[in-house]
Amino acid sequence: MSLCVLDAVFSINADYDRHTAPTCHRYATWAGISPYLPTSDEQPLSRFVTQVRTAGVEDFSAHVLRNRQRTRAHHGAPRKAEAALGYAEILTAHGVNTLAEADALLADTDRLKSAERHLAGTPGHGSGARLAYLWMLVGADDRIKPDRMILRWLQGVLHRPVTTPEATRLVKEAATQLGCTPWELDHAIWNTQRTP
């Protein structure tokens, strides 16, 4: 779960290969966990919360993650590590410490609405792409990450601006017509957009 949280938070407005993936790998190495699934010794998300609180956000950003990115471009914006800590604290407060518990949360509509309402209050929430991506990372293949890559692709295909809710609807409808999951189509679009 900690790697899912870090990936979701640090991928927003960042080069995935140059910044996000190395950040997640540095944390995994430091924490002594495998960055690959399946793993039999999953680290509880509460452990991540304790680690960040103990180190402090600034030191954790600088020395563990070696990524001091902020949630927005201006100097006073909170660090992404602070947003990751916020996500982790909210998730653990809603009973999510493991991937299996995240899956159970996704299946419980009332609990999910409550958790999402709280998660939306963390720094850098924006349009909700980060949250949608978190659910994709924990295994919800019915979600897409309506970020700038998806929006740019749709705008290029449709030759007009596209809103985030419209992008979500269009990709889900297209996935149904193509006979794939929204996650698979999202990933295919993302791969075409990241290739120069």
Side-chain angles (χ1 to χ4, degrees), residues 1 44-46 88 90-106 111 115 135 138:
M1 275 306 300
L45 190 56
S46 58
I90 290 165
L91 288 166
T92 56
H94 283 83
V96 175
N97 251 312
T98 64
L99 291 170
E101 290 169 348
D103 193 47
L105 177 69
L106 287 168
R111 281 182 56 223
W135 299 142
V138 301

Side-chain angles (χ1 to χ4, degrees), residues 7-179:
D7 193 327
V9 171
F10 278 85
S11 69
I12 301 299
N13 295 323
D15 183 290
Y16 191 84
D17 295 321
R18 286 185 25 227
H19 300 290
T20 309
T23 298
C24 293
H25 280 274
R26 284 190 291 268
Y27 174 73
T29 299
W30 179 83
I33 60 175
S34 173
Y36 307 104
L37 290 176
T39 181
S40 59
D41 58 343
E42 183 179 356
Q43 178 196 53
L45 190 56
S46 58
R47 176 81 177 122
F48 173 79
V49 170
T50 300
Q51 291 168 334
V52 179
R53 284 183 184 161
T54 301
V57 169
E58 287 296 327
D59 282 348
F60 192 78
S61 296
H63 303 297
V64 176
L65 302 179
R66 289 180 293 181
N67 184 329
R68 300 182 53 149
Q69 290 178 334
R70 295 185 181 275
T71 55
R72 290 188 309 278
H74 70 81
H75 177 71
R79 299 244 180 250
K80 287 185 177 181
E82 183 178 335
L85 173 61
Y87 256 40
E89 289 173 330
I90 290 165
L91 288 166
T92 56
H94 283 83
V96 175
N97 251 312
T98 64
L99 291 170
E101 290 169 348
D103 193 47
L105 177 69
L106 287 168
D108 186 333
T109 307
D110 292 335
R111 281 182 56 223
L112 180 61
K113 284 181 184 175
S114 175
E116 287 185 336
R117 192 170 45 256
H118 288 101
L119 290 165
T122 58
H125 177 71
S127 68
R130 178 174 73 187
L131 182 55
Y133 186 45
L134 174 67
W135 299 142
M136 290 171 67
L137 290 169
V138 301
D141 63 1
D142 62 333
R143 308 286 176 116
I144 72 152
K145 178 185 178 188
D147 64 358
R148 63 182 178 198
M149 301 272 221
I150 299 294
L151 294 174
R152 182 173 58 211
W153 184 81
L154 285 168
Q155 288 168 2
V157 169
L158 299 172
H159 306 291
R160 65 174 175 80
V162 178
T163 65
T164 299
E166 182 184 20
T168 301
R169 181 182 55 78
L170 289 170
V171 171
K172 286 184 175 187
E173 288 174 359
T176 299
Q177 291 179 9
L178 293 168

